[in-house]
Amino acid sequence: MGAMLDPAGALVLFSGGQDSTVCLAWALARYGRVETVGFDYGQRHAVELQARVAVRAAIAGRFADWAPRLGEDHLLEMRGFGSVAASALTADRAIEMTASGLPSTFVPGRNLAFLVYAAALADRRGLKVLVGGMCETDFSGYPDCRRDTLDVQLSALNLGMAQDFTLETPLMWLTKADTWSLAKGLGGEALVGLIVEDSHTCYLGDREPRHAWGHGCGTCPACELRARGWDGWIAAGRPELAA
Ligand code: ZN
């Protein structure tokens, strides 16, 4: 690691969750300059935004190879978008499957809007690579996390901004157990421990209960997914996936 760094700069869509923390580590292992972007769209839980700060600080403090490459953080205000798109993450609605077959946590247009903002920021910052934790494999089938959707949007962004961005999605075909394996491959048990302790996934914003896999209510869909992935990884003997 480190000998073959890509000189292109990368912008990681970073929420402070498990997936985007692994994406940040993946980018730090590859690119000479890495910046992060987060979005404040009126999430119910400020805890998500606090986790971003905690994870970045922990990475900078514990990974000497990565710290010099970890550049600026950008938090973009998107509350106007949050007021348009109501969902269980931005309003007090139950987390459930809806008649359309999508979970109530799906926010129509959210990831599309994030990418427009991220690309505009990358253009301004001279960064050529966007990195996101979108995943088709074992989540709820969010239609805007599919690689097909992303490829079409990337084409539109490059045409519309006269750019040549690439969009990397290192978790796209991984299971949640694989994501723990990738974390270990990137940063060993130190990174696994950092993700357990500092990243945040719980939809209810609960940081109190501490499980083997981290903090969270333990019963919301996000906690269940994270716990299942962890259990699968432990059952497999804590393997590591070469990054
Ligand atoms: Zn939870």
Side-chain angles (χ1 to χ4, degrees):
M1 250 193 288
M4 298 281 287
L5 280 186
D6 188 324
L11 179 64
V12 179
L13 282 75
F14 180 60
S15 70
Q18 175 187 353
D19 289 349
S20 64
T21 299
V22 176
C23 286
L24 176 55
W26 183 89
L28 287 165
R30 250 168 201 75
Y31 301 103
R33 180 163 65 105
V34 177
E35 300 188 5
T36 51
V37 60
F39 306 97
D40 179 2
Y41 56 97
Q43 294 99 321
R44 292 192 305 181
H45 310 296
V47 65
E48 289 180 20
L49 300 180
Q50 289 161 6
R52 303 179 72 255
V53 175
V55 167
R56 279 181 49 97
I59 284 179
R62 295 179 216 164
F63 293 87
D65 284 357
W66 295 348
R69 308 206 279 269
L70 179 59
E72 276 186 47
D73 182 38
H74 311 268
L75 185 61
L76 303 183
E77 196 277 317
M78 291 181 68
R79 282 171 181 264
F81 179 80
S83 70
V84 173
S87 83
L89 294 191
T90 53
D92 278 322
R93 274 177 55 185
I95 296 169
E96 61 197 6
M97 292 303 284
T98 64
S100 64
L102 292 167
S104 60
T105 47
F106 175 63
V107 184
R110 180 179 60 172
N111 285 325
L112 303 176
F114 285 177
L115 281 171
V116 170
Y117 274 63
L121 176 65
D123 184 276
R124 174 160 64 83
R125 301 290 302 163
L127 304 166
K128 288 295 182 188
V129 184
L130 305 172
V131 183
M134 303 81 162
C135 174
E136 283 196 24
T137 306
D138 63 354
F139 202 56
S140 324
Y142 286 0
D144 55 3
C145 288
R146 290 193 295 240
R147 191 66 226 193
D148 286 1
T149 307
L150 298 175
D151 284 340
V152 172
Q153 190 178 5
L154 180 63
S155 294
L157 292 170
N158 280 332
L159 281 169
M161 296 187 186
Q163 265 287 2
D164 55 350
F165 295 124
T166 57
L167 173 56
E168 297 288 352
T169 53
L171 310 185
M172 182 59 75
W173 310 112
L174 301 187
T175 66
K176 291 297 172 202
D178 294 336
T179 301
W180 289 108
S181 303
L182 179 58
K184 186 172 175 182
L186 286 163
E189 292 286 350
L191 183 62
V192 171
L194 184 159
I195 291 168
V196 166
E197 201 52 49
D198 295 315
S199 76
H200 180 79
T201 304
C202 177
Y203 279 152
L204 302 181
D206 199 342
R207 293 291 295 166
E208 207 41 56
R210 169 66 155 80
H211 313 268
W213 46 264
H215 298 268
C217 73
T219 55
C220 77
C223 281
E224 282 185 354
L225 198 63
R226 179 159 163 165
R228 228 176 13 248
W230 173 268
D231 290 345
W233 183 62
I234 296 296
R238 303 173 84 100
E240 71 180 71
L241 187 61

